[in-house]
Each structure stands twice: as structure tokens, then as C-alpha cells.
Amino acid sequence: MTTIKDVAKRAGVHPTVVSRVLNKDQTLKIKDSTRERILETVKELNYFPNRSAQNLKRNETKMLGMVIPDFANPVYSEIIHGAEDQAAKEGYNLMVYSMKQKGTEHNKFSHLIEGRTDGLLIAISESEDQEIVELQESKKPFLLINRMIPGINHYVVLDDEFAGKLATDHLIQLGHRKIAHITGPFDTGTGKTRFNGYKQAMHSNELEILNDYVQESSYSIESGYSAMKKLLALKEPPTAVFAGSILAALGAMRAAYEAGRTIPNDFSLVSIHDVPFADALQPPLTTIKMPLYEMGQEAVKNLVQLIKKDTQSTHLTINGAELIKRNSTAELLSEK
Amino acid sequence: MTTIKDVAKRAGVHPTVVSRVLNKDQTLKIKDSTRERILETVKELNYFPNRSAQNLKRNETKMLGMVIPDFANPVYSEIIHGAEDQAAKEGYNLMVYSMKQKGTEHNKFSHLIEGRTDGLLIAISESEDQEIVELQESKKPFLLINRMIPGINHYVVLDDEFAGKLATDHLIQLGHRKIAHITGPFDTGTGKTRFNGYKQAMHSNELEILNDYVQESSYSIESGYSAMKKLLALKEPPTAVFAGSILAALGAMRAAYEAGRTIPNDFSLVSIHDVPFADALQPPLTTIKMPLYEMGQEAVKNLVQLIKKDTQSTHLTINGAELIKRNSTAELLSEK
DNA sequence: TTGTACGCGTTATCAA
DNA sequence: TTGATAACGCGTACAA
């Protein structure tokens, strides 16, 4: 292993000088000739500073940790992507962790807080509030992504209410009146807030919300499937469905397929989250594209600020949800 | 920040003893009473060893890096999942990196090799052979996942040939004769090998392979889409299609939808990779489930061995591909 | 403009 | 069974 001493010896200078050159210390002056000689030697010996030593000395790792529930959920891909890009811009590295990981630790975040990261992005949407609150005791800076927990005042969320309204309004504008909503879990902020958007759109158009038309799901294919089955079994099934998540929408499409219903002839379907394969579905799915990439970026941006300046609070809502119209929604022609 | 000295002082012992207790050193004996006292103090002060210091001292990070092309590709989710689980079992952490990450570094892996990881899993399937070969100069142990490069003799691959045969045989058994294959890129091992499986199945059933029936894709929805369009435009379109990847299959389904063809009535479709939403597609997609989770596990297992014992070579093929029969494939009833 | 001395927090080795 | 010392590789006051 090549160390800073090797470089120094080869270049005929003291290790300190090498360190200064590599860290681009502006306050000290270094003769151009020695700087060049040192940089050449660095290349020649293929020297990289030992990160562990740097970390120890500087008491920082330039590494951010991100915790997600599951890599298989396509929603997180884009958040990660945005977070990665922004982290690179800010000179940080990103380490992504899935909660599916087995392992018996003190608590679920111990891997990440033991001097391995400078800060954490928590994007888990399951109800592990207790552990998150405990995380506060560790004094490690962290920020919630797409969720809110009482007592924790650093978070970045989407404008889910607007998204819910957008989806519902779209269906209303197509002439639908019997509009159902497959919600997210009511114990999550996103589930509740998207539902609020739905309610607002319905109310401001003086449409009644039937209890039977509101079916809770758990952001999974299976729960979307059974929710849709219940809707299809109603005496008066809805002519349009707003799915609170892409996974629920996939489940709903499957239920429709099995029941022999076709979309959008038998009912229209719009879903939150414009995944890459949305237009490869049959029919191509109308979606609400959420600014997930931007949320990832903003999360990192604000976390880095939190690390550096000890920001008091971060209450950020990312706007920019937009409707992507595809074939799964259509005008309601005849009364059913 | 709580250090080992704080704990030692509080427990009235020397830091060395604390270190021994925490590292469960078996060779040295420690009085039960002091051990208990130390462990209590550790809990009391909520002490965690500083990883940077440990890393520096031990000259290892207990961290593995994994490089994938893109988080959005559902195929990698399961590999990551298996790798994460195995890493946890072996006492390692996993850091996943996407090549989509922007950032101007010496080379693409520099983040990961600068004393930050003990070893690397390279799962990128793009043609960045040059950089990978250069990686060898860094002396950092690494292992290829699902690809082979001449001159690099540590890799874990799937039995893609078997998978190709399995898919094609399934179609043949359903009575199909006009079987097309949307291949992966021919400059990738998986693309070539799956194609070989297809060829073998066709030949051993004395079926001819038409040039027009072999369409190259680049493992993307778009390329699958245009490949399928070409197949549909043929004078004698195939009655069955074997897609070399799930993304290609999605594109193919979209092309069929747009052309007004229905699956499996107009043609059967089978694809490599059993993604979680395969049975939520319309129709539910018959797939070849590849042992991706196991591949992730084995990759980590072998990389750790490579780190520890300097294994000479790792040429591992993971078996266990299986057909998941769903509605997208059906018996060929009448001659077309 | 360059060199010296020290310490970051931990653990391996040796001594007691 | 426990304590003392040194060292991992680096960066930073301070001195020259």
C-alpha cells in the first residue's frame, strides 16, 4: 500500500507538503516546481489517500446513508437516483440500505451511525416510528424522506394532496361521477394526504364520497388486487378508480383482468407514480408523475446543510406533480 | 462523542481492557466482574467504537461495494437483496452504487477503491471492459456478477443457456414451431448464452431458425418494442416469442397492444426474469425465474473468500432457473 | 516556502 | 488478569 510517506520520500519532500498539495490548501504557498513534482509522483505511484485515516483525522466520512424499505419497490429507484447525483455534486457518497436486510444489531440503524456516515436519509414508510425517535438520541443528523413523524422537524415531502386532487380532477373532467379511491395505508402520511386530495376534489365538485368507494391498501400488489375485487363486486361499481400507488394499480389491473373487465371501457384507472414501465402496461397507464428525483436531490441538499450548519428545521414540500395521460383513462360516454 | 477512553475511565479500567471485552478476544482472560462492569458502562454511555479508527488500525473496512448500471432495472433488486443478506451474515456492509451517478473521478470506481471498501462486486452489464481491466491494477479484490470478461477469473454467472432452453422448450411443447427470439445484446455474455439455449432447443427439435425471427434488443423497453414491431410486420409472423429480458418483454407487449394483437391468442410470450409484477401484467406473463437472490448471496460469499484467502479463481454458475407458467403462453391450436 | 511534532480512536504486542 | 506503549495514515498548529 502506498502512503503519503512513500510519495514524500520519492519526491524528496516532507509528507506535510504532499498533504498540502493534495488538499489544495490555499493559505500556504508552495513552489510551483515542487507542486508539479509531487503531483507527478502521486500519479506515478498511483497514490490515493487512505480514507480511513482521513475520516479519523477529520472526524467526518463524507458519506451519507439512505434507508429504504425495499429495493424492489420501483418508487425508490428515482429517489435514490436524485440523491446520488446530488451527493456527488456536494462531494459526498451515498450508501443505500434496505430494511429487508437481516441482521441482529442494537438497532436497525447502528450500521450507519457508528462513525460510518455523516448523516442519514430515512425513507422507510413502515411504522417504525419508535426506532426513528430513538435515532434522535444518537445526535446523528438525519432527515425524513416522504414522511412525517411528530417531534422530528427535518423532512422533505411531496405535495401528495395536490397529486390526489390532480388525479381525481382528471377523472371528474372526463365526466366520471362514481369515482373510487384505493388509498394507501391510513397510518402513513402519504396515504392520508392523497386521500385528502381526493376528498377535496370530490367535494369541490359536489360529488358524494361513498364509503364503499374508499378501499384501503398497503401499497402492495396484493392489497390493490383485493381492494379492486371489492369494488368490482359492488352493486354499483365505480366507473373510475384512483389508485394511491403504482403497486396498488398493478393489483387493480390484475383484478380487472381476472374479472374479464377491460380498462378503460369498463372503468378508468389513474395511479400515483409514473414508473418507467407505465406505458408498457396494457393499457398504458395514466399516472401522476411525482417529482421523486427532485425529492432525492432536495433531501441530500438539505441534509448536507443540516450537517454543516445545524439547521433548525427543514419542512420542505416538493411541488411539480403532473398528469401523464395515457390510455387507461377515458371519457365516460354513457351513464352506466 | 464517547470514546473508549471515556468508557475506561468510568469503569475504572484501562482502555485496552474495554477493547478486549468488546472484541470478545478469546485468548485473554478477563474477570467476570470487570467484564460486566465494562459492558454496563458501554450501555450507559451509549458507546459505539469509531469505525474510522477501527478501519485504520485493522486496515479493513468490513464494507463491500457493489456497482450496478441502474437502480430502475428490477432485475438488480433481487441480486442486491441476496447480496445484502449474505453480507450481513458475514459481518460485512454493502454499499450499492449506480453507474448513472454523475461525477468526474479518476475512474468510475475510485470512490469505492480508495480505502472505502474491502472488495467490489461488479454487476454492470454495459461494455466498460476497459475500466474493469484497469481495476485489476488497483489490487482491490473484485468479482464480476453475471458477466465474463477475458482475463478476469472471478465471476458468478447464471445458467443462461439452460434458461434459454427452458423457455424455448416450453414453447415447443405447446406445439409452436415458428418461434422468435428477442435477444439481449450480442456483445454481452447473457445475450449470447440465452441465444445459445434457444438455438440448442430449436436444433434438438429439428426446428429451423429464421434470421428474421432473431431480433437483437438492448435489454430495454424501447428496443423490445421495435424488435416486436419488426416481428409483427413479417409475412409469416411467429406464433411464439421468447424475450431475453423482462424489459424487452414489456416492450413487446406494448407493440402487440398497439398493433391490436392479443397475447396469447395471436402469439405466446415467455420472458427471462420473474419480476414481482409479472403476474399483474395483462396477461400475466410466463417467465423464467432466475436464481438472482442466490447469485447475490454466492457473489458475496465468494468475494469474502477472495478477500480473506486470496482464492485463485472463482468460476461459479448458479443453477436453479425455473419456468413460471402464466397466461401469456398457450397451446398452439390451429396452424396459422 | 518547507519541516516538526502531535494527536485523531483504536488495537496489537509486550510487560507486569 | 490487567496495564503500558506504540502504531495505523493523515492533517494541522506551530516553528523554521
Side-chain angles (χ1 to χ4, degrees):
Chain A
M1 181 188 200
T2 321
T3 75
I4 202 169
K5 283 183 194 168
D6 301 326
V7 178
K9 200 173 288 177
R10 195 85 130 79
V13 292
H14 196 271
T16 307
V17 189
V18 179
S19 173
R20 281 206 279 268
V21 168
L22 291 176
N23 291 299
K24 302 188 177 83
D25 191 332
Q26 304 295 351
T27 62
L28 283 308
K29 302 271 174 193
I30 289 155
K31 215 196 295 176
D32 279 357
S33 62
T34 48
R35 157 175 285 117
E36 280 171 31
R37 191 153 33 90
I38 288 171
L39 289 176
E40 270 175 34
T41 317
V42 164
K43 264 204 178 147
E44 198 183 344
L45 298 183
N46 198 29
Y47 165 75
F48 288 107
N50 181 311
R51 296 302 288 256
S52 299
Q54 284 185 326
N55 293 345
L56 176 60
K57 185 66 196 175
R58 295 174 168 158
N59 198 28
E60 64 172 5
T61 63
K62 285 286 174 189
M63 178 100 102
L64 305 178
M66 178 164 171
V67 194
I68 62 171
D70 185 2
F71 279 107
N73 188 331
V75 171
Y76 292 99
S77 308
E78 231 186 307
I79 304 179
I80 296 173
H81 191 179
E84 272 197 318
D85 283 354
Q86 188 61 31
K89 267 185 210 151
E90 311 242 8
Y92 280 81
N93 283 130
L94 186 70
M95 190 175 150
V96 187
Y97 246 81
S98 134
M99 280 321 237
K100 278 215 167 169
Q101 182 152 348
K102 289 157 196 129
T104 37
E105 299 303 318
H106 325 277
N107 81 49
K108 296 208 176 175
F109 306 109
S110 59
H111 280 294
L112 298 164
I113 60 184
E114 291 170 29
R116 191 153 262 179
T117 57
D118 296 341
L120 258 44
L121 299 169
I122 310 288
I124 52 176
S125 57
E126 289 147 49
S127 45
E128 274 141 347
D129 292 17
Q130 189 48 39
E131 305 212 4
I132 295 176
V133 171
E134 279 171 20
L135 187 56
Q136 280 190 304
E137 294 170 15
S138 78
K139 297 291 171 201
K140 174 76 63 183
F142 73 100
L143 182 148
L144 303 180
I145 292 188
N146 213 16
R147 68 175 308 196
M148 291 158 60
I149 296 180
I152 293 179
N153 46 20
H154 293 279
Y155 57 81
V156 175
V157 293
L158 297 170
D159 192 348
D160 285 303
E161 195 170 283
F162 175 72
K165 250 191 294 197
L166 202 58
T168 314
D169 276 339
H170 171 60
L171 297 173
I172 293 173
Q173 273 167 27
L174 290 172
H176 293 278
R177 295 291 172 267
K178 298 176 190 164
I179 301 173
H181 179 27
I182 302 179
T183 75
F186 281 128
D187 59 0
T188 65
T190 53
K192 274 184 291 200
T193 322
R194 287 168 198 168
F195 178 51
N196 281 343
Y198 163 78
K199 277 198 293 194
Q200 283 190 25
M202 294 295 275
H203 286 155
S204 59
N205 285 276
E206 285 162 17
L207 294 173
E208 202 188 350
I209 295 173
L210 299 178
N211 277 338
D212 283 345
Y213 280 5
V214 177
Q215 294 290 341
E216 191 175 353
S217 86
S218 61
Y219 289 151
S220 70
I221 295 181
E222 293 69 30
S223 60
Y225 173 78
S226 37
M228 191 68 225
K229 270 178 74 165
K230 282 184 202 149
L231 291 175
L232 290 174
L234 293 175
K235 286 184 308 268
E236 273 197 90
T239 67
V241 175
F242 160 37
S245 84
I246 179 67
L247 293 180
L250 287 170
M253 290 177 90
R254 186 178 161 201
Y257 174 81
E258 285 187 8
R261 314 292 175 96
T262 60
I263 302 172
N265 297 351
D266 290 313
F267 67 93
S268 285
L269 179 64
V270 57
S271 166
I272 299 280
H273 291 317
D274 189 58
V275 290
F277 55 85
D279 69 351
L281 297 172
Q282 288 82 43
L285 188 65
T286 298
T287 61
I288 305 294
K289 182 174 168 59
M290 305 295 275
L292 297 168
Y293 181 90
E294 289 77 9
M295 182 164 65
Q297 283 188 310
E298 289 299 326
V300 166
K301 212 179 279 180
N302 283 278
L303 178 59
V304 170
Q305 277 184 9
L306 177 58
I307 292 169
K308 283 184 180 157
K309 304 183 212 158
D310 220 294
T311 323
Q312 285 305 310
S313 66
T314 313
H315 297 191
L316 191 60
T317 301
I318 315 284
N319 296 304
E322 56 176 321
L323 178 80
I324 309 287
K325 172 76 179 82
R326 296 202 186 86
N327 293 3
S328 70
T329 50
E331 222 164 315
L332 182 71
L333 293 177
S334 59
E335 274 294 323
K336 275 227 172 190
Chain B
M1 182 189 200
T2 319
T3 74
I4 202 170
K5 284 182 193 168
D6 301 327
V7 176
K9 200 174 289 178
R10 194 86 130 79
V13 291
H14 196 271
T16 310
V17 189
V18 178
S19 173
R20 281 207 279 268
V21 169
L22 291 176
N23 291 299
K24 302 191 177 81
D25 192 332
Q26 304 296 348
T27 62
L28 283 307
K29 302 271 174 195
I30 289 155
K31 215 198 292 175
D32 279 356
S33 62
T34 49
R35 157 174 285 114
E36 280 171 32
R37 190 151 35 88
I38 289 170
L39 290 175
E40 270 174 34
T41 317
V42 164
K43 266 206 177 146
E44 198 183 344
L45 299 183
N46 198 30
Y47 165 76
F48 289 106
N50 180 312
R51 295 302 287 256
S52 298
Q54 283 185 327
N55 293 346
L56 176 60
K57 186 67 194 171
R58 295 175 169 156
N59 198 26
E60 63 172 9
T61 64
K62 286 288 175 185
M63 178 100 101
L64 305 178
M66 179 164 173
V67 194
I68 61 170
D70 183 3
F71 278 108
N73 188 330
V75 170
Y76 293 99
S77 308
E78 230 185 307
I79 304 179
I80 296 173
H81 191 179
E84 272 199 316
D85 283 353
Q86 188 63 30
K89 266 186 210 150
E90 310 240 9
Y92 281 82
N93 282 131
L94 186 71
M95 190 175 149
V96 187
Y97 245 82
S98 135
M99 278 320 233
K100 280 217 165 168
Q101 181 152 351
K102 290 157 196 127
T104 36
E105 300 302 320
H106 324 280
N107 81 49
K108 296 209 176 175
F109 307 109
S110 60
H111 281 295
L112 298 164
I113 60 183
E114 290 170 27
R116 191 152 261 180
T117 57
D118 295 341
L120 257 44
L121 299 170
I122 309 289
I124 52 177
S125 58
E126 288 148 48
S127 44
E128 275 140 345
D129 292 19
Q130 189 47 39
E131 304 211 5
I132 295 175
V133 171
E134 278 171 20
L135 188 56
Q136 278 189 305
E137 293 170 15
S138 78
K139 297 291 171 201
K140 174 77 61 182
F142 73 99
L143 182 148
L144 302 179
I145 292 188
N146 212 18
R147 68 175 308 195
M148 290 158 61
I149 295 180
I152 293 179
N153 48 18
H154 292 280
Y155 57 81
V156 175
V157 293
L158 297 170
D159 193 348
D160 286 302
E161 195 170 285
F162 175 72
K165 250 190 296 196
L166 202 58
T168 314
D169 276 339
H170 171 60
L171 297 172
I172 294 173
Q173 274 167 27
L174 290 171
H176 292 278
R177 295 291 172 267
K178 299 175 190 164
I179 301 173
H181 179 26
I182 301 179
T183 75
F186 282 129
D187 59 0
T188 64
T190 52
K192 276 184 291 202
T193 322
R194 286 168 198 168
F195 178 52
N196 281 343
Y198 163 78
K199 278 199 292 195
Q200 284 191 25
M202 294 294 275
H203 286 153
S204 60
N205 285 276
E206 284 160 18
L207 293 173
E208 201 188 350
I209 295 174
L210 299 177
N211 278 338
D212 284 344
Y213 280 7
V214 178
Q215 294 290 341
E216 190 176 352
S217 85
S218 63
Y219 288 152
S220 71
I221 294 180
E222 293 70 28
S223 60
Y225 173 78
S226 37
M228 191 68 225
K229 269 178 77 164
K230 283 184 202 149
L231 291 175
L232 290 174
L234 293 175
K235 288 185 306 265
E236 273 197 88
T239 67
V241 174
F242 159 40
S245 83
I246 179 67
L247 293 180
L250 287 170
M253 291 177 90
R254 187 178 158 202
Y257 173 80
E258 284 186 8
R261 316 290 174 96
T262 60
I263 303 172
N265 297 350
D266 290 314
F267 67 93
S268 284
L269 179 64
V270 58
S271 165
I272 300 279
H273 291 315
D274 189 58
V275 290
F277 55 85
D279 69 351
L281 297 171
Q282 290 79 48
L285 187 64
T286 298
T287 60
I288 306 294
K289 182 174 168 59
M290 306 294 277
L292 297 169
Y293 181 90
E294 290 77 7
M295 182 164 65
Q297 283 188 310
E298 288 299 325
V300 166
K301 212 180 279 180
N302 283 278
L303 177 60
V304 170
Q305 277 183 10
L306 176 57
I307 292 169
K308 283 184 181 158
K309 302 183 213 160
D310 222 294
T311 323
Q312 284 304 309
S313 66
T314 313
H315 298 191
L316 191 60
T317 301
I318 315 285
N319 296 304
E322 56 175 321
L323 178 80
I324 310 287
K325 172 77 179 79
R326 296 202 185 85
N327 292 3
S328 70
T329 51
E331 221 164 317
L332 180 72
L333 293 178
S334 57
E335 273 293 321
K336 275 228 171 189

